[in-house]
C-alpha cells in the first residue's frame, strides 16, 4: 500500500514531535544536574539513614 507524500510527511513529523516530547524531561533533568553540580546518585547511604525520622513502635495496652 502506497502512502501519499503528504500523509507520509505528516507521520514523520508527528513521530519526531512525539520523540522530542518524550525526551525533553530527561534532557532537562541532566542539564539541571550539569549546571547545578548536583549528583544525587553519589550520596552516601549513611546520610539517608540520619535524615529519616525514627520509627515509632506501638505501645501495648495492659
Amino acid at each position: 500500500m502506497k502512502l501519499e507524500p503528504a500523509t507520509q510527511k505528516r507521520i514523520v513529523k508527528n513521530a519526531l514531535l512525539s520523540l522530542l516530547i518524550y525526551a525533553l524531561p530527561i534532557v532537562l533533568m541532566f542539564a539541571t544536574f550539569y549546571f547545578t553540580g548536583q549528583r544525587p546518585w553519589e550520596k552516601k547511604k549513611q546520610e539517608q539513614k540520619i535524615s529519616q525520622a525514627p520509627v515509632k513502635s506501638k505501645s501495648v495496652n495492659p
Side-chain angles (χ1 to χ4, degrees):
M1 182 170 130
K2 185 95 172 162
L3 291 176
E4 293 182 20
T7 305
Q8 189 175 9
K9 285 181 183 179
R10 192 171 70 225
I11 291 172
V12 170
K13 182 183 83 169
N14 288 340
L16 291 175
L17 184 61
S18 295
L19 287 173
L20 175 69
I21 291 171
Y22 178 78
L24 187 62
I26 298 167
V27 170
L28 290 174
M29 179 184 67
F30 282 110
T32 302
F33 290 158
Y34 177 77
F35 288 116
T36 62
Q38 293 180 355
R39 300 291 185 261
W41 55 90
E42 292 179 354
K43 289 188 177 183
K44 295 180 181 176
K45 293 190 181 222
Q46 188 175 22
E47 292 176 359
Q48 292 175 353
K49 288 180 183 177
I50 293 171
S51 65
Q52 292 177 351
V55 177
K56 294 182 181 180
S57 61
K58 288 186 174 182
S59 60
V60 178
N61 292 331

Coordinates of all heavy atoms in Angstrom, one line a residue:
M1 N 0.8 -1.2 0.0 CA 0.0 0.0 0.0 C 0.9 1.2 0.0 O 1.7 1.4 0.8 CB -0.9 0.0 1.2 CG -1.8 1.1 1.3 SD -3.0 0.8 2.7 CE -2.9 2.4 3.5
K2 N 0.7 2.1 -1.0 CA 1.5 3.3 -1.1 C 0.8 4.4 -0.4 O -0.4 4.7 -0.6 CB 1.6 3.6 -2.6 CG 2.5 4.7 -2.9 CD 3.9 4.3 -3.3 CE 4.6 5.5 -3.8 NZ 6.0 5.3 -3.7
L3 N 1.6 5.2 0.4 CA 1.1 6.3 1.1 C 1.3 7.6 0.2 O 2.3 7.7 -0.5 CB 1.8 6.5 2.4 CG 1.5 5.5 3.5 CD1 2.4 5.8 4.7 CD2 0.1 5.5 3.9
E4 N 0.4 8.5 0.4 CA 0.6 9.8 -0.3 C 1.7 10.5 0.4 O 1.9 10.4 1.6 CB -0.7 10.6 -0.1 CG -1.9 10.1 -0.9 CD -3.1 11.0 -0.8 OE1 -3.0 12.2 -0.4 OE2 -4.2 10.5 -1.0
P5 N 2.4 11.4 -0.4 CA 3.6 12.1 0.2 C 3.2 13.0 1.4 O 3.9 13.1 2.4 CB 4.1 12.9 -0.9 CG 3.7 12.2 -2.2 CD 2.4 11.5 -1.8
A6 N 2.0 13.6 1.3 CA 1.6 14.5 2.4 C 1.3 13.7 3.7 O 1.7 14.1 4.8 CB 0.3 15.2 2.0
T7 N 0.7 12.5 3.5 CA 0.4 11.7 4.7 C 1.8 11.2 5.3 O 1.9 11.1 6.5 CB -0.4 10.5 4.3 OG1 -1.6 11.0 3.7 CG2 -0.8 9.6 5.5
Q8 N 2.7 10.8 4.4 CA 4.0 10.3 4.9 C 4.7 11.4 5.7 O 5.3 11.1 6.7 CB 4.8 9.8 3.7 CG 6.1 9.1 4.1 CD 6.8 8.5 2.9 OE1 6.4 8.8 1.7 NE2 7.8 7.7 3.1
K9 N 4.7 12.6 5.1 CA 5.4 13.7 5.8 C 4.8 14.0 7.2 O 5.4 14.3 8.2 CB 5.3 15.0 5.0 CG 6.3 15.0 3.8 CD 6.2 16.3 3.0 CE 7.1 16.2 1.8 NZ 7.0 17.5 1.1
R10 N 3.4 13.9 7.2 CA 2.7 14.2 8.5 C 3.0 13.1 9.5 O 3.2 13.4 10.7 CB 1.2 14.2 8.2 CG 0.4 14.8 9.4 CD -1.0 15.0 9.1 NE -1.7 13.8 8.9 CZ -2.6 13.5 8.0 NH1 -2.8 14.4 7.1 NH2 -3.1 12.3 7.9
I11 N 3.2 11.8 9.1 CA 3.5 10.8 10.0 C 4.9 11.0 10.6 O 5.2 10.8 11.8 CB 3.4 9.4 9.3 CG1 1.9 9.1 9.1 CG2 4.0 8.3 10.2 CD1 1.7 7.8 8.2
V12 N 5.9 11.3 9.7 CA 7.2 11.5 10.1 C 7.3 12.7 11.1 O 8.0 12.7 12.1 CB 8.2 11.7 8.9 CG1 9.5 12.2 9.4 CG2 8.3 10.4 8.1
K13 N 6.6 13.8 10.8 CA 6.6 15.0 11.6 C 6.0 14.7 13.0 O 6.6 15.0 14.0 CB 5.8 16.1 11.0 CG 5.8 17.4 11.8 CD 4.9 18.4 11.1 CE 3.5 18.2 11.5 NZ 2.6 19.2 11.2
N14 N 4.9 13.9 13.1 CA 4.3 13.6 14.3 C 5.2 12.6 15.1 O 5.3 12.7 16.4 CB 2.9 13.0 14.1 CG 1.9 14.0 13.7 OD1 2.1 15.2 13.9 ND2 0.8 13.5 13.1
A15 N 5.9 11.7 14.5 CA 6.8 10.8 15.2 C 8.0 11.5 15.8 O 8.3 11.3 17.0 CB 7.3 9.7 14.2
L16 N 8.5 12.5 15.1 CA 9.6 13.3 15.6 C 9.2 14.2 16.7 O 9.9 14.3 17.7 CB 10.3 14.1 14.5 CG 11.0 13.3 13.4 CD1 11.5 14.2 12.3 CD2 12.2 12.6 14.0
L17 N 8.0 14.7 16.6 CA 7.5 15.5 17.7 C 7.2 14.7 19.0 O 7.5 15.1 20.1 CB 6.2 16.2 17.2 CG 5.6 17.2 18.2 CD1 6.5 18.4 18.5 CD2 4.3 17.7 17.7
S18 N 6.7 13.5 18.8 CA 6.5 12.6 19.9 C 7.8 12.3 20.6 O 7.9 12.2 21.9 CB 5.8 11.4 19.5 OG 4.5 11.7 19.0
L19 N 8.8 12.0 19.8 CA 10.1 11.7 20.4 C 10.7 12.8 21.2 O 11.3 12.7 22.3 CB 11.1 11.2 19.3 CG 10.9 9.8 18.8 CD1 11.8 9.6 17.6 CD2 11.1 8.8 19.8
L20 N 10.5 14.0 20.7 CA 11.0 15.2 21.3 C 10.3 15.4 22.7 O 10.9 15.7 23.7 CB 10.8 16.5 20.4 CG 11.2 17.8 21.1 CD1 12.7 17.9 21.3 CD2 10.6 19.0 20.2
I21 N 9.0 15.3 22.7 CA 8.2 15.5 23.9 C 8.6 14.4 24.9 O 8.7 14.7 26.1 CB 6.7 15.4 23.6 CG1 6.3 16.7 22.8 CG2 5.9 15.3 24.8 CD1 4.9 16.6 22.2
Y22 N 8.9 13.2 24.5 CA 9.2 12.1 25.4 C 10.6 12.4 26.0 O 10.8 12.1 27.2 CB 9.2 10.8 24.6 CG 9.7 9.6 25.4 CD1 8.8 9.0 26.3 CD2 11.0 9.1 25.3 CE1 9.2 7.9 27.1 CE2 11.4 8.0 26.0 CZ 10.5 7.4 26.9 OH 10.9 6.4 27.7
A23 N 11.6 12.9 25.2 CA 13.0 13.0 25.6 C 13.2 14.3 26.4 O 14.2 14.4 27.1 CB 13.9 12.9 24.4
L24 N 12.3 15.3 26.2 CA 12.6 16.6 26.8 C 12.8 16.6 28.3 O 13.7 17.2 28.8 CB 11.5 17.6 26.4 CG 11.7 19.0 26.8 CD1 12.9 19.6 26.1 CD2 10.4 19.8 26.4
P25 N 11.9 15.9 29.1 CA 12.1 15.9 30.6 C 13.5 15.3 31.0 O 14.1 15.7 31.9 CB 11.0 15.1 31.1 CG 9.9 15.1 30.1 CD 10.7 15.3 28.8
I26 N 13.9 14.3 30.2 CA 15.2 13.6 30.6 C 16.3 14.5 30.3 O 17.3 14.6 31.0 CB 15.3 12.3 29.8 CG1 14.1 11.3 30.2 CG2 16.6 11.6 30.0 CD1 13.9 10.2 29.3
V27 N 16.3 15.2 29.1 CA 17.3 16.1 28.8 C 17.4 17.3 29.8 O 18.5 17.7 30.2 CB 17.1 16.7 27.3 CG1 18.0 17.8 27.0 CG2 17.2 15.5 26.3
L28 N 16.2 17.8 30.2 CA 16.2 18.9 31.2 C 16.7 18.4 32.5 O 17.4 19.2 33.2 CB 14.8 19.4 31.3 CG 14.2 20.2 30.1 CD1 12.8 20.6 30.3 CD2 15.1 21.4 29.9
M29 N 16.5 17.2 32.9 CA 17.0 16.7 34.2 C 18.5 16.6 34.2 O 19.2 17.1 35.1 CB 16.4 15.3 34.4 CG 16.9 14.7 35.7 SD 16.3 13.0 36.0 CE 17.2 12.1 34.7
F30 N 19.1 16.1 33.1 CA 20.5 16.0 33.0 C 21.2 17.4 32.9 O 22.3 17.7 33.4 CB 21.0 15.1 31.9 CG 20.9 13.6 32.3 CD1 19.9 12.8 31.7 CD2 21.7 13.1 33.3 CE1 19.8 11.5 32.1 CE2 21.6 11.8 33.6 CZ 20.6 11.0 33.0
A31 N 20.5 18.3 32.2 CA 21.0 19.7 32.1 C 21.0 20.4 33.4 O 22.0 21.1 33.8 CB 20.2 20.5 31.1
T32 N 20.0 20.1 34.2 CA 19.9 20.7 35.6 C 21.1 20.1 36.4 O 21.7 20.8 37.2 CB 18.6 20.3 36.3 OG1 17.5 20.9 35.5 CG2 18.5 20.9 37.7
F33 N 21.3 18.8 36.4 CA 22.4 18.2 37.1 C 23.8 18.8 36.7 O 24.6 19.0 37.5 CB 22.5 16.7 36.9 CG 21.3 15.9 37.5 CD1 21.0 14.7 37.1 CD2 20.6 16.5 38.6 CE1 19.9 14.0 37.7 CE2 19.6 15.8 39.2 CZ 19.3 14.5 38.7
Y34 N 23.9 19.0 35.4 CA 25.2 19.6 34.9 C 25.4 21.0 35.4 O 26.5 21.3 35.9 CB 25.2 19.6 33.3 CG 26.4 20.2 32.7 CD1 27.6 19.4 32.7 CD2 26.4 21.4 32.2 CE1 28.7 20.0 32.1 CE2 27.5 22.0 31.6 CZ 28.7 21.3 31.6 OH 29.8 21.8 31.0
F35 N 24.4 21.9 35.3 CA 24.6 23.3 35.7 C 24.6 23.5 37.2 O 25.3 24.4 37.6 CB 23.5 24.1 35.0 CG 23.7 24.3 33.5 CD1 22.8 23.8 32.6 CD2 24.8 24.9 33.0 CE1 22.9 23.9 31.3 CE2 25.0 25.1 31.7 CZ 24.1 24.6 30.8
T36 N 23.9 22.7 37.9 CA 23.9 22.9 39.4 C 25.0 22.1 40.1 O 25.3 22.4 41.3 CB 22.5 22.5 40.0 OG1 22.3 21.1 39.8 CG2 21.4 23.3 39.4
G37 N 25.5 21.1 39.4 CA 26.6 20.3 40.0 C 26.0 19.2 41.0 O 26.8 18.6 41.7
Q38 N 24.7 19.0 41.0 CA 24.2 18.0 41.9 C 24.4 16.6 41.3 O 24.4 16.4 40.1 CB 22.6 18.2 42.0 CG 22.2 19.4 42.7 CD 20.7 19.5 42.8 OE1 20.0 18.7 42.2 NE2 20.2 20.6 43.5
R39 N 24.7 15.7 42.2 CA 24.9 14.3 41.9 C 24.2 13.4 42.9 O 24.8 12.9 43.8 CB 26.4 13.9 41.9 CG 27.3 14.8 40.9 CD 27.0 14.4 39.5 NE 27.9 15.1 38.6 CZ 27.6 16.2 37.9 NH1 26.5 16.8 38.1 NH2 28.5 16.7 37.1
P40 N 22.8 13.3 42.7 CA 22.1 12.6 43.7 C 22.5 11.1 43.8 O 22.3 10.5 44.8 CB 20.6 12.7 43.2 CG 20.7 13.3 41.9 CD 22.0 13.9 41.7
W41 N 23.1 10.5 42.8 CA 23.4 9.1 42.8 C 24.7 8.9 43.6 O 25.1 7.8 43.9 CB 23.6 8.6 41.4 CG 24.6 9.4 40.6 CD1 25.9 9.2 40.5 CD2 24.3 10.5 39.7 NE1 26.5 10.1 39.6 CE2 25.5 10.9 39.2 CE3 23.1 11.2 39.4 CZ2 25.5 12.0 38.3 CZ3 23.2 12.2 38.6 CH2 24.4 12.6 38.0
E42 N 25.4 10.0 44.0 CA 26.7 9.9 44.7 C 26.5 10.1 46.2 O 27.4 10.0 47.0 CB 27.7 10.9 44.2 CG 28.2 10.6 42.8 CD 29.2 11.7 42.4 OE1 29.4 12.7 43.0 OE2 29.7 11.5 41.3
K43 N 25.3 10.3 46.7 CA 25.0 10.5 48.1 C 25.2 9.2 48.9 O 24.9 8.1 48.4 CB 23.6 11.0 48.4 CG 23.4 12.4 47.9 CD 22.0 12.9 48.4 CE 21.9 14.4 48.0 NZ 20.7 14.9 48.4
K44 N 25.8 9.3 50.0 CA 26.1 8.1 50.8 C 24.8 7.6 51.5 O 24.0 8.4 51.9 CB 27.2 8.4 51.9 CG 28.5 8.7 51.2 CD 29.6 9.0 52.3 CE 30.9 9.4 51.6 NZ 31.9 9.8 52.6
K45 N 24.8 6.3 51.8 CA 23.6 5.8 52.4 C 23.5 6.2 53.9 O 22.4 6.3 54.4 CB 23.6 4.3 52.3 CG 23.4 3.8 50.9 CD 23.2 2.3 50.8 CE 23.0 1.9 49.4 NZ 22.0 1.0 49.1
Q46 N 24.6 6.5 54.5 CA 24.6 6.9 55.9 C 23.8 8.2 56.1 O 23.1 8.4 57.0 CB 26.0 7.0 56.4 CG 26.1 7.2 57.9 CD 27.5 7.2 58.4 OE1 28.4 7.4 57.6 NE2 27.7 7.0 59.7
E47 N 24.0 9.1 55.1 CA 23.3 10.4 55.2 C 21.8 10.2 55.1 O 21.0 10.9 55.7 CB 23.7 11.3 54.0 CG 25.2 11.8 54.1 CD 25.6 12.6 52.9 OE1 24.8 12.8 52.0 OE2 26.8 13.0 52.9
Q48 N 21.4 9.2 54.3 CA 19.9 9.0 54.2 C 19.4 8.4 55.5 O 18.3 8.7 55.9 CB 19.7 8.0 53.0 CG 20.0 8.6 51.7 CD 19.8 7.5 50.6 OE1 19.6 6.4 50.8 NE2 19.9 8.0 49.3
K49 N 20.1 7.6 56.2 CA 19.7 7.0 57.4 C 19.5 8.0 58.5 O 18.6 8.0 59.3 CB 20.6 5.9 57.9 CG 20.6 4.6 57.1 CD 21.6 3.6 57.6 CE 21.6 2.4 56.7 NZ 22.6 1.4 57.2
I50 N 20.4 9.0 58.5 CA 20.3 10.1 59.5 C 19.1 11.0 59.3 O 18.5 11.4 60.2 CB 21.7 10.9 59.5 CG1 22.8 10.0 60.0 CG2 21.5 12.1 60.4 CD1 24.2 10.7 59.8
S51 N 18.8 11.2 58.1 CA 17.8 12.2 57.7 C 16.4 11.6 57.9 O 15.4 12.3 58.0 CB 17.9 12.7 56.3 OG 17.7 11.6 55.4
Q52 N 16.3 10.3 58.1 CA 15.0 9.6 58.2 C 14.5 9.8 59.7 O 15.3 9.7 60.6 CB 15.0 8.2 57.9 CG 15.2 7.9 56.4 CD 15.3 6.4 56.1 OE1 15.4 5.6 57.0 NE2 15.3 6.1 54.8
A53 N 13.2 10.0 59.9 CA 12.6 10.1 61.2 C 12.6 8.7 61.9 O 12.5 7.7 61.2 CB 11.2 10.6 61.1
P54 N 12.8 8.7 63.2 CA 12.8 7.4 63.9 C 11.4 6.7 63.8 O 10.4 7.4 63.8 CB 13.1 7.8 65.4 CG 12.8 9.2 65.5 CD 13.0 9.8 64.1
V55 N 11.5 5.4 63.8 CA 10.2 4.6 63.6 C 9.6 4.5 65.0 O 10.3 4.1 65.9 CB 10.5 3.3 63.0 CG1 9.3 2.4 62.9 CG2 11.2 3.4 61.6
K56 N 8.3 4.8 65.1 CA 7.6 4.7 66.4 C 7.1 3.3 66.5 O 6.5 2.8 65.5 CB 6.5 5.7 66.5 CG 7.0 7.1 66.6 CD 5.9 8.1 66.8 CE 6.4 9.5 66.8 NZ 5.3 10.5 67.0
S57 N 7.2 2.7 67.7 CA 6.6 1.4 67.8 C 5.3 1.6 68.6 O 5.1 2.5 69.4 CB 7.5 0.5 68.6 OG 7.8 1.0 69.9
K58 N 4.3 0.7 68.4 CA 3.1 0.7 69.0 C 3.2 0.3 70.5 O 3.9 -0.6 70.8 CB 2.0 -0.2 68.4 CG 1.6 0.3 67.1 CD 0.5 -0.7 66.6 CE -0.2 -0.1 65.3 NZ -1.3 -1.0 64.9
S59 N 2.6 1.1 71.4 CA 2.6 0.7 72.8 C 1.5 -0.3 73.1 O 0.4 -0.3 72.5 CB 2.4 1.9 73.7 OG 1.2 2.5 73.4
V60 N 1.8 -1.3 73.9 CA 0.9 -2.3 74.3 C 0.0 -1.9 75.5 O 0.6 -1.5 76.5 CB 1.6 -3.6 74.6 CG1 0.6 -4.7 75.0 CG2 2.4 -4.0 73.4
N61 N -1.3 -1.9 75.4 CA -2.1 -1.5 76.5 C -2.3 -2.7 77.4 O -2.6 -3.8 77.0 CB -3.5 -1.1 76.0 CG -3.5 0.2 75.2 OD1 -2.6 1.0 75.5 ND2 -4.4 0.4 74.3
P62 N -2.1 -2.6 78.7 CA -2.2 -3.7 79.7 C -3.6 -4.1 79.9 O -4.6 -3.5 79.7 CB -1.6 -3.2 81.0 CG -1.2 -1.8 80.8 CD -1.5 -1.4 79.4

